[in-house]
Structures are given as C-alpha cells and as structure tokens.
Amino acid sequence: GDSFYGVQLQRIQLGATALAPKEPPAATIVDSGTTFMYLHSAAFLPLLAAMRARRCVTLKPAAAPSDEFCVRLPFGGSLALLDRCYDNVTVVLPGATLSMPPSAYFYAAEDAGQYCMGVFNNYERALVLGAINMMYREVIFDRLNRRIGFRAADCTLDAASGQ
C-alpha cells in the first residue's frame, strides 16, 4: 500500500466516460516490470463492453479469449485506423494525466494484421500501470521523496543518426 510505487488514482476513463467511478481500486501501483495495464474488474468490464460495442467499417473483430479484445486491420492499414475508431484510455492522478491513444494501448499480435488491447482484467481490486502507460514518457521514480514524475518525451528513433 504505502510503497513508493503506489499512487493515488483520481479516475480512469475511456474517452470522456469515467470507468467505475463509484468503485475505485483498492490500490494503484506503477510497475515498470509489468508490460501491460491491469484494471480492477469494476473498470475493466465496462471498458471491454464498450470496445466490443464499437463498430468501425475498416476494422473487423478478431478471435480472442473471452476476457480480451482484438481487431484485424485491413491489409496495409495503419495504426491511425485504431485512433480514428476507438477512444483514448486516460488515467488521472494528482498532478498528472496519462492519456493513451488506441495506437499506444493496442499491440501487434502474432497473426499479421491483428492487434489486441494491452489492457487486461486484474481479477483483483488493484490497478497496475505498466510499461504501456509509460510509453512516450520519461518516468522518474523519486524514491527518496516517495514520488513518481511523468513527462512527455519524444522517443522516436532518428534513422539517419541512429539516435
């Protein structure tokens, strides 16, 4: 509970819709060793239902386990199609808002053209912010002052310079 990895959650939302506003997680942690984001069930289930309910002409639902969501992009389709179809997932903390566009929270599955949501059910009352929440950000773990800082960062690789 009180470790330096723990943070206070103000809210989590899909687009402008708050997820489980009356049932906050018992704990929220930031874990750089966890790849994806794990929501408490009260927030994950409405997120999953909203994703499944959204229909986009260019994206087709893809086979996935019952507690996951995947789509198939058309041949040659870009990740921008995900951003045009689905809403951002936003985590609001005191002093920080971490918004992820769909192109950041979907990951390429093993099947070509298939992308799956990197947000999963934790099956517990805790929320885990993983590496997917840290993408395109500098994250500073200030252990001495028991704080975590987030700052937007341009993490693109310049192919010409290799930096």
Side-chain angles (χ1 to χ4, degrees):
D2 290 315
S3 75
F4 51 82
Y5 293 106
V7 294
Q8 260 194 318
L9 177 74
Q10 289 183 332
R11 71 183 173 280
I12 183 160
Q13 52 195 62
L14 176 63
T17 303
L19 299 171
K22 295 186 182 347
E23 295 181 62
T28 301
I29 64 167
V30 179
D31 184 6
S32 61
T34 297
T35 303
F36 298 113
M37 179 180 191
Y38 291 85
L39 293 178
H40 60 302
S41 296
F44 177 78
L45 295 175
L47 170 69
L48 183 62
M51 299 301 281
R52 288 183 174 159
R54 178 71 60 97
R55 295 288 177 242
C56 304
V57 174
T58 56
L59 302 174
K60 303 294 180 219
S66 64
D67 59 351
E68 295 182 28
F69 179 72
C70 299
V71 294
R72 182 165 303 286
L73 270 63
F75 181 76
S78 77
L79 294 179
L81 293 172
L82 294 169
D83 292 339
R84 285 197 289 273
C85 182
Y86 301 105
D87 292 322
N88 287 8
V89 170
T90 303
V91 176
V92 181
L93 308 169
T97 298
L98 309 176
S99 188
M100 297 185 304
S103 55
Y105 67 79
F106 275 82
Y107 65 93
E110 290 181 16
D111 291 344
Q114 183 172 322
Y115 286 80
C116 297
M117 187 172 65
V119 181
F120 297 95
N121 193 340
N122 194 22
Y123 293 103
E124 295 181 15
R125 292 209 46 237
L127 177 123
V128 180
L129 303 176
I132 199 167
N133 300 95
M134 299 178 213
M135 287 176 35
Y136 312 110
R137 293 180 176 85
E138 289 184 25
V139 182
I140 300 166
F141 292 87
D142 181 353
R143 294 171 50 178
L144 184 62
N145 295 304
R146 300 171 61 103
R147 301 181 306 180
I148 298 174
F150 297 90
R151 187 178 100 182
D154 180 2
C155 300
T156 56
L157 178 67
D158 182 349
S161 69
Q163 298 182 10

